[in-house]
Amino acid sequence: MKRRYYYLIRVQFLGFRYSGWQKQPGQRTIEGMLLKTLKYILPDQKFKILGAGRTDAKVSALDAAFQLIVEETPISEISNFIKIFNNNLPADIKILKINNINDNFNIIKDSKSKEYRYYFSFGDKNHPYCAPIMANILEDLDINIMMKAASLYTGTHNFKAYTAKPGENKIVTRTITSCVIKENKEIKANFLPKRSYVLEICGKGFMRYQVRMIMGALILLGRGLLSLEEIQLSLTEDTNIKIPFIAPGSGLVLNKLEFE
């Protein structure tokens, strides 16, 4: 039996040019670019990678992770391998750190928490340079009621209204440990609007589109198209409320990923 070696690799990327994480035929994806690069720098080795989860098209990450499994020959010098890896990746993907792990590690089940941040502005149209990192809502928003409503998502709730395809066997009860909207003080550049905001949300795991649909509901609330009462009802098991708006992917960032 061939010996295998296991590594946890931390990575960050700007997702604006990519059709999400998962490899897809005919599409540029983060996983596809990592595989292409690894085939080039590990030409004579068998390997596979496993992601910690999927990100949607245009979604970015400051602290994502994937597992690399190589056969027969281990990585001899980690620091040198990181340098070679980064030298051959495009400018919008960067390897941060590589750690040895054992074969008992499960990159999906051992996830402890994920923190997402959704950056947005509203009103005037943004400078074009903002497009990869910040959603721009052209309508005016009642940001105060949005800030008030964000806390309603904290706790354990039924989130069937916040996923595109609930399905009979899908676990839609999820726990969110924190959810707040506050003024953006982190990302700064002279082309950014004078005032912008960020939704910060943290939990053990999220369904596809869940964070973007929470942001979508808050935007609808800010536009006066949903009420606080409807937000509360949308989190109940017998709700018939549908969230018709998925916020754009380009404002969303996987900010932090922690494992058990």
Side-chain angles (χ1 to χ4, degrees), residues 1 8 26 47 58 66 69 79-80 82 89 94-95 128 152 163 165 172 174 192 200 203 205 208-209 223 228 259:
M1 191 176 197
L8 180 66
F47 67 86
K58 299 184 183 297
F66 65 96
I69 304 167
S79 59
N80 189 51
I82 292 174
L89 283 168
K94 181 181 179 180
I95 301 303
L152 296 175
T163 183
K165 297 179 180 178
V172 294
R174 303 290 173 116
L192 289 178
E200 296 182 0
R208 188 179 186 192
Y209 297 142
R223 292 176 58 193
L228 276 173
F259 295 99

Side-chain angles (χ1 to χ4, degrees), residues 11-23:
V11 60
Q12 56 186 198
F13 53 84
L14 181 65
F16 195 66
R17 293 195 309 135
Y18 297 91
S19 299
W21 170 271
Q22 189 175 25
K23 185 179 178 182

